[in-house]
C-alpha cells in the first residue's frame, strides 16, 4: 500500500525534452500532471529558462523558491554539457548570460536566484530533498565557463542595492551577493575577482565595505593572500573606520612573517587613533601576530601606545550622560561588550595565559621602564592580570616586578589611586590578586614596599563592595594576629585609618576586629594601645554603629585589671585608658547638646578611672604605668573639660603631699647615707623653700623591703614609691599645660628646687661600700637622673631666659651624675636598675649584668653587646667612647699595674643602660638652640652683685646629640627586616620610644629640618675648634698639654652631628614627590651656609651647593669614623641629583681616597684600631672603589703599590702611600678589593660575534687588566696566608672564575683569530692564578679546616669547566689538535709537592680523561684536578707555536 502511494504521488506529467534524459528511476519522480497554479508560477520560456529546465532547475515567480529536480552536481554537469553541445556554442553562453541578466532585472526574481533552491518534491525521500540546496547564482558560479560572466553581472547589479539597506523580508541584497562568492571550489580569474572586490570597496558605503573585507579570506585563494594583505594594509592607513574588518580579514589570511610584521607595524601606528570600540580587536590582532623573536619589542611598543586613560575619560563621559536613564544597571559591576577597557584586558589576559612568550614580554616591558612619569595605568592592570593567571612563573614574576618598582619609587600610590578611581569595576574581577599582592607586600621584610601594600588594602576597601570589604578586614585581622611585629604595626595602623575615614562601613565588621582580643599576648604595649584605640573608636564613636561590642570590651578590661599577673594588668591599664580617651573625647556642638559630655558617659568615664586607680595601687610599677598612660592620653587626645578637671583636681595636691617637703634646718630620719640638700638652683630661697624628698622616701622603702626591691609606702590610703616620682610629675606637668594653655608658672618651683640626696663624695669610696649600699646609691643616682630628665622635658619649651638657664644647668647636672653613675656601675656587677619605662615587661629590657662584669677586665664583650642593645649600628657616640676605652684596656694588658690604676676610671658605657632612663621628648632638642645665657643675681638692696653665665658644654652637646641620634635611627631609619626571629630576643628595641612612636616619621624629619641651622652652627664650631687646635699644635694631634677628655667629647660631637645629618637626609620619605618641598627646604639651609640665599634656586643647584658646603669640613675630621660619616652624607646628597653625576663621583672618590691616605691617631697618640675602626675602613674603601672612574686601575694601584710597600715595611708599620693599610687592616683591604673586582667583571659586557675589531680589542684590554689584578691578589696568599685571607680568596676566586667563563670566554671565542697574542697572554696569566687556586684547595684539605673545605668542591668544578671551555674555544677556531692532557703535581701554598700524592703518579700518568671514577679518594681527585690545570700550559704553548 505504502509503495503504491509513494509511486502514485511521485508521477509527473511535465513534458519536454528534459524528461527524455532522465533515468527511469528519476523519471517517475519528475513526471505527473501539474495543476494550474504550478503552470502559472513558472517563468516564461527563453534560452536561459530552457537551459535551466533541461538541466533540472525550474524558475518560479513571486515568493516561491526556485526548484531543483536533480542533484546539484548533476545540474552543473548537464548545464555545461548542454551549452557545449549547442550548435551556437560559444555564442550561446552570451545569450544565456543575457537571459540571466534579463531575468534578474526583477528584484523578486533576483531574490529567488540568491536564495537557496528547494527540491522539486519535498516528501519523496530522495537525496536531493534531504540535503541543503545552493542558490541558483551559487550553482551558476560553479560552472567554470559561466563564472566570470556571472560575477561581472552580479557586480554590475550590486550597486543598485548599495544604499537600500535591509529589505522588508530581512535580506540585505549586497551582503547576500557577496556571500555567493565564498568558498567556491575554483575561481577562474581570481586576480580579476580581487580587483573587482577592491574597486567595489572604494565606492561602497561603510557597511558594504565591512562585509566585503570580512569575506575576503573565504573568497580568495591562498596565492592571493599576500597581495590582498598589502592592499588591506594600505587601506587601513586611509580609513580607520575599517580597522575591525581589515584586522579580522588579516587574521585569517595566510601571509609571510615579514609581511605580517609590516602589517603589524602599520596597525601599531593606529593604536592611539583607533575608535574606542575597535581597540580590543586591534590589541588582539597585535598580540596574536607576535612571534617569540619579536615579542619583547612588539609588546613594549604596544604598551607605550596603549592609553587606557583616554578610554576611561570617554567611558566616564558616556556614563555621566546615561546615568539618569539607567541607574539600576550602573549599580551592577559587569564586563559587557560595551566595556572596551574590560575587553582589552580580557584580550591581554587570554594572550598571556596561553603564550608564555607574551607574559614574559609584558614583564620585561614593565621592568624596563625606569622613570616615574613613564609608568601608566596599564602597567598596574597587566601586573594584576599576570598575577591572576595560573602559571606560577607569571605570578612570581608579577610580584617580583611590582616589589622592585615600588622599592625604586617609580610605581607610587598616585598611580594606584588613578587605577582604582578609573577602573574599579574592571579591577573588581582581579580582587583575589589584589588581596594576595597586598598580603605579600605587607609581609615583605623590605620596609620600602610595605606602605604600598597598605595602600592597596585601603583602596580595595574604599572602591569595592561589601564582600571585598569583609575580606580586606579579615586579611588585616590575620596580619595583626600573625605575631610579626612590623606586620602587626602596619595592619593596626591601616585598621585605624579605615575606622577614622569609613566609620560606618567599618562598624559592620567590628566583630571581626574584636577577635584580635584573643591574641593580645603576642602584642607589645604600643600595639595594644592602638588596638584599644581602634576598638574604642568603633564602640564609642559618635554614630554608635559599633555599640554592640561595648559590653565585651568592658568585660575584657575588668578581667585584665583584676589579674594578679603584671602582664595582664598592664594590658588592662592601657586598654582602660584608651577607652577613656574615646568615651571622654571632646564633642562638637553638632554631636551633643552644646558640645557637653552626657552625664551618663561622664559617670562611666570617672568610674572606669577610679577602677584603674584602685587596681593599680598595690603595685608601684602598675601605678607608674597608669600615670604614664594618663599623661600620654592628655598629650595626644582632646578630652572633655569635665574629664580634664576631674583628672587634674587631685594631681597637684597628691604630688605635693607624696614627694615634696618643706626645707628645714635639719633633715630628721635614719638613712643609709648622710642626707644633704643638693642641686638647688634657687639659692636666694634656700630658707623656707621646698625639696624633692627622694633619699628619705627610698630609705623608708628599703626599711620595708630588706631585699632592696622597690616597694610602696601607704600614705593616707595611697601607696607612695620613688618609682612613681617621674611618672607622677609628667602627669602633673601635662595637666598644668592643658589647664593653663602651656603655662607652667604653678609648678615652676620644681625646676630649680633641690633634692634631698647625699654627698656625692661617696663615689670616691664606692669600692669600700657593701653590695646593698652600692646598689642603693646606684638606684639613688638613677632616680635623680630620671627626675632631672623629666624636669627638662617639662620646661624645655619655656622661653624665659632664667628658665632656659635652669634647664641647661639641669643638663649639666645630668651629665655630671652620669659620669658618677658609670663609675658606680663598674663597681656593682649584677646590679639591676629600677624601671623607668613601664609599658614593657621587665624581661624585655636587656639587663647588662655580664657586660658590666667583663668591662673591668678590658675585654671586647661590652662592645658586641652594646651593638645589640643600641638602636642602630652607628647611632651612639657612647659606643665610640666604649670602643676607645676598650682599646686602652687592650694596650694596658702587658702592664697589670697600670691596668689596676685605670680600672675605676674606665667605668661602664651607659648606652647599655639607656632603657632604664626616662625618655626625653624630642622637643628637648630645642635646648641646642641656646647660646650663652646669663643673668644678674641681685643683693638685698637690689644691686647687681654677680653675673652668672651658662652655656652648653661639650658634655651636654654630646648627651643631646646621642639621644637625637637614637631617636632618628628609630624613627627615620628603615628597619632591615621585620620577620620574627627563630629564637625570640628578650630585648625590646622599642623600649624608651613610647612618646616618639606617637609622631610620624614626617613629623620627626620636619622637626630636624627646623633644627638644621642650629646643627650647622654646632658643626662649624667643631670644625673651627679642630682647625684652631691643629694650627696651634702645628698639626700634631697628640701634642703635650692637650685636654684629652675635651678633645674626645668634641670628636664625638663632630661625628654625632654628621650622623644626625646623614640619618635625616637618608630618610626614605624624601624620595616621594610629595616630600620634595621638604627636601628642598632642608637643602636651602645647607646651601645658605655657603653663600647668601638669593633667588629661587633649582633642586640641582641646591644639591651642588650643599655638597660643596660639606666638602669644606674634610680638613678637620678628627677620626676615621667621622670621616666615614661625612663621606656617607655626601653620597646620600649626590643620590638626589639627576645631573652632574661625574662631579659628585669624582669628588666623593677623591674625598674617600684622601681619608684612606691619611694616618689616623687618637688623642692619646696611639693609632686607631679595633673592630669599629676596621668596619669604618671597610665601608670607606668600598665607597672609594664604587665611585672610582676605573675600579680595575684603582685595585691595581693598591695591590701593586700599597701592598708591596707594606711587605717591605717593619712589623708594626703601614704602607707609605696608603697609611690606613697595615698588617692589622690587610684583611679589610683584601676582602674589599676581591669583592669589588668580582663585582666589576660581572658588569662587563659579554663578547659578541658582531663586535668590531676595535671593540674586541677594547674588551680584551679590560679583561687583561682584570685578570692581572686577580693574579696579583691571588699571589698575595703566599705572603698573607691566614685562614681568613684564604677563605676570602677561595670564595671570591670561584666567583671571578665563573664570571670569566660566562662573560670572558665568549669574547675569546670570537677574538682568537684576530687577537691571538692577546688571548694567549691573557690565558697564560689566568692559568697561573688557577694553579694557585688549586694549591689552596690542596692546602685546605691538608689543614682539614671546614670553613675552607666548604669552598673546595664548587671551586674544583669551576676549574674543570674552565679546562673544557678552553678546549671548546680551540675547537671552534679549528685548533682542536692543540689540546692534549698533561700532569701537574699537587703542591701546597709554598709550592712544595704534597708527598702523599707521589705514590699515585704512575697510575695518574696513564689517564687521559679528567673524569673521576666513583671510588677515587680525595688525593686522586686533587691530582686529577691538577692534570686539568696542567692542560693550560700545553694549550698556550701550542697556541704560541701556531701563531708563529
Amino acid at each position: 500500500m505504502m509503495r503504491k502511494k509513494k509511486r502514485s504521488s511521485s508521477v509527473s506529467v511535465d513534458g519536454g525534452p528534459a524528461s527524455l534524459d532522465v533515468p527511469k528511476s528519476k523519471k517517475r519522480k519528475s513526471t505527473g500532471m501539474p495543476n494550474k497554479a504550478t503552470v502559472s508560477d513558472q517563468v516564461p520560456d527563453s534560452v536561459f529558462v530552457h537551459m535551466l529546465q533541461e538541466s533540472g532547475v525550474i524558475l518560479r515567480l513571486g515568493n516561491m523558491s526556485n526548484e531543483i529536480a536533480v542533484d546539484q552536481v548533476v545540474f552543473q554537469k548537464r548545464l555545461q554539457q548542454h551549452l557545449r553541445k549547442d550548435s551556437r556554442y560559444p555564442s550561446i553562453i552570451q545569450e544565456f548570460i543575457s537571459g540571466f541578466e534579463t531575468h534578474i532585472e526583477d528584484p523578486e526574481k533576483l531574490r529567488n536566484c540568491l536564495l537557496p533552491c528547494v527540491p522539486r518534491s519535498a516528501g519523496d525521500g530522495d537525496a536531493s530533498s534531504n540535503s541543503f540546496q545552493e542558490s541558483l547564482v551559487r550553482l551558476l558560479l560553479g560552472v567554470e565557463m559561466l563564472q566570470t560572466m556571472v560575477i561581472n553581472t552580479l557586480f554590475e547589479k550590486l550597486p543598485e542595492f548599495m544604499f537600500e539597506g535591509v529589505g522588508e523580508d530581512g535580506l540585505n541584497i549586497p551582503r547576500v551577493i557577496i556571500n555567493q562568492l565564498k568558498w567556491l571550489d575554483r575561481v577562474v580569474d581570481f586576480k580579476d575577482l580581487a580587483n573587482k572586490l577592491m574597486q567595489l570597496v572604494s565606492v561602497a558605503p561603510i557597511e558594504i565595505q565591512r562585509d566585503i573585507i570580512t569575506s575576503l579570506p573565504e573568497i580568495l585563494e591562498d596565492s592571493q593572500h599576500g597581495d590582498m594583505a598589502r592592499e588591506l594594509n594600505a587601506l587601513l592607513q586611509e580609513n580607520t573606520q575599517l580597522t575591525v574588518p581589515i584586522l579580522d580579514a588579516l587574521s585569517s589570511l595566510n601571509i609571510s612573517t615579514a609581511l605580517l610584521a609590516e602589517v603589524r607595524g602599520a596597525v601599531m601606528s593606529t593604536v592611539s587613533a583607533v575608535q574606542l570600540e575597535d581597540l580590543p580587536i586591534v590589541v588582539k590582532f597585535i598580540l596574536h601576530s607576535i612571534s617569540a623573536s619579536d615579542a619583547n619589542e612588539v609588546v613594549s611598543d604596544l604598551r607605550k601606545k596603549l592609553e587606557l586613560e583616554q578610554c576611561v575619560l570617554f567611558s566616564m563621559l558616556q556614563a555621566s550622560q546615561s546615568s539618569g536613564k539607567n541607574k539600576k544597571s550602573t549599580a551592577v559591576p559587569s564586563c559587557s561588550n560595551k566595556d572596551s577597557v574590560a575587553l582589552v584586558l580580557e584580550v591581554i589576559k587570554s594572550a598571556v595565559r596561553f603564550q608564555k612568550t607574551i607574559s614574559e614580554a609584558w614583564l620585561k616591558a614593565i621592568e624596563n621602564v625606569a622613570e616615574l612619569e613613564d609608568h601608566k595605568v596599564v602597567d598596574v592592570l597587566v601586573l594584576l592580570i599576570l598575577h591572576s593567571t595560573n602559571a606560577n612563573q607569571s605570578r612570581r614574576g608579577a610580584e617580583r616586578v611590582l616589589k622592585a618598582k615600588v622599592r625604586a619609587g617609580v610605581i607610587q600610590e598616585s598611580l594606584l589611586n588613578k587605577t582604582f578611581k578609573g577602573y574599579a569595576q574592571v579591577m573588581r574581577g582581579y580582587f583575589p590578586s589584589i588581596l594576595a599582592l597586598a598580603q605579600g607586600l605587607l609581609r615583605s621584610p623590605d620596609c620600602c614596599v610595605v606602605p604600598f601594600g597598605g595602600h592597596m588594602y585601603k583602596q580595595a576597601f574604599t572602591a569595592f563592595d561589601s564582600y571585598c570589604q569583609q575580606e580586606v578586614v579579615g586579611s588585616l585581622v590575620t596580619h595583626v594576629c600573625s605575631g610579626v611585629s612590623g606586620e602587626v604595626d602596619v595592619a593596626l595602623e591601616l585598621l585605624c585609618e579605615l575606622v577614622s575615614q569609613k566609620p560606618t562601613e567599618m562598624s559592620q565588621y567590628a566583630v571581626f576586629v574584636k577577635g584580635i582580643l584573643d591574641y593580645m599576648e603576642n602584642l607589645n604595649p604600643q600595639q595594644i594601645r592602638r588596638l584599644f584605640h581602634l576598638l574604642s573608636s568603633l564602640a564609642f564613636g559618635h554614630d554608635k554603629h559599633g555599640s554592640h561590642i561595648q559590653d565585651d570590651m568592658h568585660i575584657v578590661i575588668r578581667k585584665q585589671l583584676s589579674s594578679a599577673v603584671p602582664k595582664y594588668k598592664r594590658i588592662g591599664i592601657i586598654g582602660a585608658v584608651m577607652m577613656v580617651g574615646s568615651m571622654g573625647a571632646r564633642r562638637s556642638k553638632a554631636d551633643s547638646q552644646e558640645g557637653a559630655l552626657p552625664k551618663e558617659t561622664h559617670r562611666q568615664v570617672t568610674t572606669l578611672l577610679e577602677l584603674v586607680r584602685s587596681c593599680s595601687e598595690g603595685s608601684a610599677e602598675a601605678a607608674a604605668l597608669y600615670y604614664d598612660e594618663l599623661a600620654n592620653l592628655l598629650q595626644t587626645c582632646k578630652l572633655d573639660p569635665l574629664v580634664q578637671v576631674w583628672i587634674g583636681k587631685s594631681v597637684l595636691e597628691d604630688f605635693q603631699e607624696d614627694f615634696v617637703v618643706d626645707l628645714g634646718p635639719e633633715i630628721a630620719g635614719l638613712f643609709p647615707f648622710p642626707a644633704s640638700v643638693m642641686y638647688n638652683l634657687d639659692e636666694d630661697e634656700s630658707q623656707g623653700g621646698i625639696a624633692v624628698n627622694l633619699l628619705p622616701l627610698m630609705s623608708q622603702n628599703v626599711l620595708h623591703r630588706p631585699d632592696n626591691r622597690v616597694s610602696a609606702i601607704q600614705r593616707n590610703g595611697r601607696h607612695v614609691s620613688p618609682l612613681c616620682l617621674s611618672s607622677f610629675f609628667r602627669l602633673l606637668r601635662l595637666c598644668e599645660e592643658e589647664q593653663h594653655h602651656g603655662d607652667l608658672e604653678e609648678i615652676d618651683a620644681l625646676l630649680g628646687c633641690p633634692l634631698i640626696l647625699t654627698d656625692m663624695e661617696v663615689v670616691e669610696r664606692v669600692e669600700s661600700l657593701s653590695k646593698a649600699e652600692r646598689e642603693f646609691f646606684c638606684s639613688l643616682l638613677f632616680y635623680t637622673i630620671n627626675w632631672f630628665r623629666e624636669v627638662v622635658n617639662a620646661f624645655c619649651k619655656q622661653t624665659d631666659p632664667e628658665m632656659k638657664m635652669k634647664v641647661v644647668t639641669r643638663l649639666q647636672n645630668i651629665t655630671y651624675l652620669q659620669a658618677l653613675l658609670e663609675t658606680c656601675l663598674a663597681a656593682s656587677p649584677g646590679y639591676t636598675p629600677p624601671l623607668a619605662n613601664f609599658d614593657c615587661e621587665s624581661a624585655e629590657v636587656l639587663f647588662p649584668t655580664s657586660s658590666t662584669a667583663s668591662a673591668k677586665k678590658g675585654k671586647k664583650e661590652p662592645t658586641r653587646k652594646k651593638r645589640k642593645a643600641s638602636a642602630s649600628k652607628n647611632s651612639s657616640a657612647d659606643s665610640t667612647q666604649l670602643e676607645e676605652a676598650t682599646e686602652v684596656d687592650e694596650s694596658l694588658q702587658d702592664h697589670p699595674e697600670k691596668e689596676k690604676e685605670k680600672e675605676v676610671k674606665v667605668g661602664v658605657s651607659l648606652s647599655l643602660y639607656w632603657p632604664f632612663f626616662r625618655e626625653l621628648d624630642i622637643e628637648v632638642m630645642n635646648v641646642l638652640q641656646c647660646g650663652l645665657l646669663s643673668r644678674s643675681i641681685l643683693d638685698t638692696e637690689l644691686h647687681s652683685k654677680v653675673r652668672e653665665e651658662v652655656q652648653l658644654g661639650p658634655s651636654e652637646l654630646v648627651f643631646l646629640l646621642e639621644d637625637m641620634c637614637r631617636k632618628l635611627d628609630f624613627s627615620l631609619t628603615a628597619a632591615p627586616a621585620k620577620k620574627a626571629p627563630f629564637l625570640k630576643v628578650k630585648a625590646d628595641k622599642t623600649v624608651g620610644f613610647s612618646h616618639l612612636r606617637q609622631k610620624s616619621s614626617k613629623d620627626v624629619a620636619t622637626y630636624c629640618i627646623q633644627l638644621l641651622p642650629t646643627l650647622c652652627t654646632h658643626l662649624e664650631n667643631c670644625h673651627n675648634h679642630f682647625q684652631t687646635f691643629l694650627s696651634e699644635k702645628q698639626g700634631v694631634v697628640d701634642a703635650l698639654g692637650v685636654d684629652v677628655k675635651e678633645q674626645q667629647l668634641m670628636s664625638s660631637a663632630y661625628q654625632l652631628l654628621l650622623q644626625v645629618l646623614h640619618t635625616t637626609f637618608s630618610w626614605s620619605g624624601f624620595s616621594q614627590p610629595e616630600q620634595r618641598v621638604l627636601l628642598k627646604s632642608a637643602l636651602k639651609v645647607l646651601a645658605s651656609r655657603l653663600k647668601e640665599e638669593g633667588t629661587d634656586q633649582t633642586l640641582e643647584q641646591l644639591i651642588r651647593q650643599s655638597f660643596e658646603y660639606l666638602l669644606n669640613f674634610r680638613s678637620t675630621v678628627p677620626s676615621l669614623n667621622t670621616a666615614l660619616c661625612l663621606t656617607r652624607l655626601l653620597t646620600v646628597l649626590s643620590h638626589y641629583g639627576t645631573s652632574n653625576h661625574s662631579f659628585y663621583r669624582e669628588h666623593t672618590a677623591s674625598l674617600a681616597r684622601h681619608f684612606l691616605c691619611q694616618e689616623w691617631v687618637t688623642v692619646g697618640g696611639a693609632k686607631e684600631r679595633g673592630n669599629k675602626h676596621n668596619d669604618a675602613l671597610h665601608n670607606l674603601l668600598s665607597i672609594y672603589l664604587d665611585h672610582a672612574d676605573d675600579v680595575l686601575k684603582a685595585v691595581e694601584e693598591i695591590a701593586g703599590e700599597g701592598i708591596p710597600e707594606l711587605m717591605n715595611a717593619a712589623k708594626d708599620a703601614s704602607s707609605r702611600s696608603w697609611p690606613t693599610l697595615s698588617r692589622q687592616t690587610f684583611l679589610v683591604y683584601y676582602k674589599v678589593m676581591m669583592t669589588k673586582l668580582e663585582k666589576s667583571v660581572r658588569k662587563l659586557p659579554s663578547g659578541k660575534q658582531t663586535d668590531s675589531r676595535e671593540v674586541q680589542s677594547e674588551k680584551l684590554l679590560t679583561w687583561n687588566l682584570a685578570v692581572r689584578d686577580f693574579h696579583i691578589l691571588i699571589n698575595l696568599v703566599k705572603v698573607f696566608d691566614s685562614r681568613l685571607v684564604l677563605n676570602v680568596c677561595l670564595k671570591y676566586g670561584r666567583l671571578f672564575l665563573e664570571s670569566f667563563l660566562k662573560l670572558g670566554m665568549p669574547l675569546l671565542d670570537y677574538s682568537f683569530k684576530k687577537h691571538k697574542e692577546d688571548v694567549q697572554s691573557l690565558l697564560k696569566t689566568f692559568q697561573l692564578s688557577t694553579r694557585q687556586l688549586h694549591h689552596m684547595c690542596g692546602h685546605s684539605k691538608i689543614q682539614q679546616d671546614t670553613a675552607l673545605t666548604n669552598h673546595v668542591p664548587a671551586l674544583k668544578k669551576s676549574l674543570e669547566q674552565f679546562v673544557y671551555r678552553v678546549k671548546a674555544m680551540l675547537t671552534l677556531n679549528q685548533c682542536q689538535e692543540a689540546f692534549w692532557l698533561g700532569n701537574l703535581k699537587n703542591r701546597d701554598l709554598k709550592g712544595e709537592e704534597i708527598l702523599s700524592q707521589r705514590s699515585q703518579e704512575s697510575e695518574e700518568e696513564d689517564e687521559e680523561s679528567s673524569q673521576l671514577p666513583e671510588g677515587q679518594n680525595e688525593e686522586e681527585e686533587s691530582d686529577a684536578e691538577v692534570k686539568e690545570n696542567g692542560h693550560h700550559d700545553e694549550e698556550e704553548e701550542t697556541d704560541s707555536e701556531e701563531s708563529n
Side-chain angles (χ1 to χ4, degrees), residues 1157 1202 1205-1206 1209 1214-1219 1221:
C1157 296
E1205 290 175 357
L1206 175 64
S1214 302
S1215 169
R1216 181 176 52 80
S1217 55
W1218 299 84
L1221 175 58

Side-chain angles (χ1 to χ4, degrees), residues 84-128:
R84 287 184 183 276
K85 292 178 181 179
D86 193 278
S87 59
R88 288 173 293 174
Y89 181 83
S91 60
I92 189 66
I93 296 176
Q94 186 59 46
E95 291 183 28
F96 182 87
I97 293 300
S98 298
F100 173 63
E101 292 174 351
T102 303
H103 178 76
I104 64 175
E105 284 180 358
D106 183 1
E108 288 292 333
K109 293 178 181 178
L110 174 61
R111 174 184 171 280
N112 286 345
C113 292
L114 293 174
L115 292 178
C117 299
V118 297
R120 174 68 184 275
S121 300
D124 59 2
D126 63 356
S128 65

Side-chain angles (χ1 to χ4, degrees), residues 150-161:
V150 172
I151 289 174
N152 292 339
T153 302
L154 291 175
F155 278 129
E156 290 173 0
K157 194 69 179 175
L158 192 146
E160 297 179 12
F161 301 91

Side-chain angles (χ1 to χ4, degrees), residues 444-697:
S444 172
D446 186 353
C447 59
C448 297
V449 304
V450 173
F452 193 85
H455 204 67
M456 290 182 74
Y457 272 127
K458 285 189 290 186
Q459 290 293 331
F461 186 90
T462 305
F464 297 152
D465 52 28
S466 58
Y467 167 76
C468 297
Q469 290 177 343
Q470 179 177 318
E471 290 296 310
V472 168
V473 173
S475 181
L476 289 174
V477 170
T478 304
H479 285 300
V480 175
C481 300
S482 66
V484 182
S485 178
E487 195 177 328
V488 174
D489 288 335
V490 178
L492 282 173
E493 181 69 27
L494 288 172
L495 286 171
C496 289
E497 288 185 29
L498 290 176
V499 168
S500 62
Q501 296 170 6
K502 302 283 183 181
T504 305
E505 290 87 343
M506 278 296 295
S507 61
Q508 303 173 25
Y509 314 108
V511 176
F512 293 95
V513 182
K514 189 193 69 175
I516 304 175
L517 292 172
D518 298 331
Y519 296 88
M520 285 192 297
E521 288 191 5
N522 298 326
L523 305 182
N524 62 40
Q526 181 68 15
Q527 292 162 354
I528 292 171
R529 213 173 276 130
R530 282 193 176 277
L531 172 61
F532 276 101
H533 170 69
L534 167 66
L535 290 170
S536 301
S537 300
L538 283 173
F540 303 100
H542 301 323
D543 49 12
K544 303 294 183 184
H545 287 297
S547 57
H548 55 280
I549 64 170
Q550 289 183 4
D551 293 341
D552 293 330
M553 291 190 63
H554 278 291
I555 292 171
V556 170
I557 292 296
R558 290 177 180 274
K559 179 182 176 182
Q560 303 286 1
L561 284 173
S562 60
S563 174
V565 180
K567 178 179 180 179
Y568 300 127
K569 186 181 288 291
R570 184 171 64 249
I571 293 175
I573 293 172
I574 294 173
V577 173
M578 295 312 296
M579 278 180 63
V580 167
S582 296
M583 295 169 65
R586 185 175 299 174
R587 261 76 166 167
S588 63
K589 291 186 178 182
D591 296 329
S592 61
Q593 297 178 355
E594 298 181 358
L597 192 68
K599 291 184 178 180
E600 178 59 25
T601 307
H602 181 263
R603 185 192 62 79
Q604 292 179 0
V605 170
T606 54
T607 303
L608 186 57
L609 286 173
E610 287 286 0
L611 175 65
V612 180
R613 184 172 182 176
S614 61
C615 290
S616 60
E617 282 181 348
S619 166
E621 288 86 352
L625 174 64
Y626 169 60
Y627 297 142
D628 273 340
E629 289 300 313
L630 209 52
N632 288 339
L633 184 66
L634 288 171
Q635 192 173 23
T636 58
C637 182
K638 293 293 184 182
L639 293 179
D640 187 86
L642 293 175
V643 179
Q644 287 186 13
V645 170
W646 190 92
I647 293 174
K649 65 180 179 180
S650 61
V651 170
L652 183 57
E653 292 80 359
D654 290 347
F655 184 82
Q656 289 178 343
E657 185 177 353
D658 294 344
F659 299 106
V660 178
V661 295
D662 294 327
L663 283 177
E666 293 183 359
I667 303 173
L670 295 174
F671 312 119
F673 299 99
S676 176
V677 177
M678 306 284 292
Y679 304 110
N680 185 7
L681 302 184
D682 301 319
E683 298 293 342
D684 51 339
E685 300 177 5
S686 56
Q687 298 297 326
I690 60 171
V692 177
N693 193 28
L694 187 55
L695 179 63
L697 203 57

Side-chain angles (χ1 to χ4, degrees), residues 1259-1438:
K1259 289 182 178 179
L1260 273 176
L1261 185 63
T1262 304
W1263 270 107
N1264 263 310
L1265 184 57
V1267 169
R1268 187 163 71 246
D1269 290 348
F1270 183 67
H1271 176 60
I1272 295 173
L1273 293 175
I1274 291 294
N1275 279 336
L1276 289 176
V1277 178
K1278 296 179 180 178
V1279 180
F1280 303 95
D1281 57 355
S1282 68
R1283 62 185 298 273
L1284 294 176
V1285 174
L1286 282 172
N1287 192 41
V1288 171
C1289 191
L1290 289 172
K1291 177 182 177 180
Y1292 291 99
R1294 175 180 62 82
L1295 295 175
F1296 184 92
L1297 181 56
E1298 290 175 354
S1299 297
F1300 184 79
L1301 290 172
K1302 183 178 179 181
L1303 304 173
M1305 288 307 298
L1307 175 65
L1308 302 190
D1309 290 341
Y1310 304 127
S1311 308
F1312 183 76
K1313 291 182 179 179
K1314 298 179 182 178
H1315 307 276
K1316 190 171 293 184
E1317 293 182 359
D1318 293 336
V1319 173
Q1320 174 188 339
S1321 172
L1322 189 149
L1323 283 175
K1324 190 165 290 187
T1325 305
F1326 198 56
Q1327 183 266 338
L1328 297 175
S1329 303
T1330 57
R1331 180 180 297 179
Q1332 185 64 26
L1333 286 173
H1334 179 78
H1335 293 167
M1336 291 183 213
C1337 293
H1339 173 80
S1340 302
K1341 288 189 174 184
I1342 294 174
Q1343 297 296 322
Q1344 296 182 349
D1345 190 330
T1346 309
L1348 299 179
T1349 54
N1350 285 340
H1351 298 290
V1352 170
L1355 178 56
K1356 283 199 167 187
K1357 180 182 177 182
S1358 297
L1359 290 170
E1360 182 178 352
Q1361 288 175 345
F1362 176 62
V1363 172
Y1364 291 107
R1365 189 63 184 82
V1366 172
K1367 183 177 181 180
M1369 182 201 72
L1370 294 172
T1371 305
L1372 181 67
N1373 290 278
Q1374 288 82 40
C1375 298
Q1376 58 267 29
E1377 66 278 358
F1379 186 86
W1380 61 285
L1381 301 176
N1383 293 330
L1384 185 65
K1385 297 176 182 178
N1386 278 343
R1387 302 181 185 276
D1388 58 16
L1389 294 180
K1390 303 298 182 184
E1392 298 177 359
E1393 185 179 353
I1394 299 176
L1395 299 178
S1396 58
Q1397 301 296 316
R1398 285 186 171 181
S1399 60
Q1400 300 173 8
E1401 284 181 11
S1402 58
E1403 297 176 12
E1404 296 293 294
E1405 285 174 358
D1406 297 331
E1407 291 185 9
E1408 293 184 0
S1409 173
S1410 60
Q1411 185 73 28
L1412 295 177
E1414 293 181 0
Q1416 218 169 13
N1417 59 26
E1418 283 188 359
E1419 294 176 349
E1420 290 173 334
E1421 189 178 335
S1422 284
D1423 203 18
E1425 186 66 53
V1426 171
K1427 278 176 52 183
E1428 292 159 14
N1429 278 304
H1431 305 166
H1432 306 175
D1433 282 331
E1434 305 302 333
E1435 290 160 6
E1436 271 79 322
E1437 290 173 7
T1438 309

Side-chain angles (χ1 to χ4, degrees), residues 652 729-752 790-800 803 807 921:
L652 183 57
F729 174 70
R730 181 176 181 81
L731 175 60
L732 169 64
R733 182 259 294 191
L734 288 169
C735 285
E736 290 294 320
E737 280 188 352
E738 285 293 325
Q739 292 178 7
H740 299 92
H741 307 289
D743 186 11
L744 299 178
E745 186 178 356
E746 294 289 328
I747 59 170
D748 61 356
L750 293 174
L751 173 59
E790 254 338 311
V791 166
V792 170
N793 278 341
F795 296 96
C796 64
K797 293 182 285 186
Q798 300 299 310
T799 57
D800 181 62
M803 303 278 274
V807 169
D921 294 338

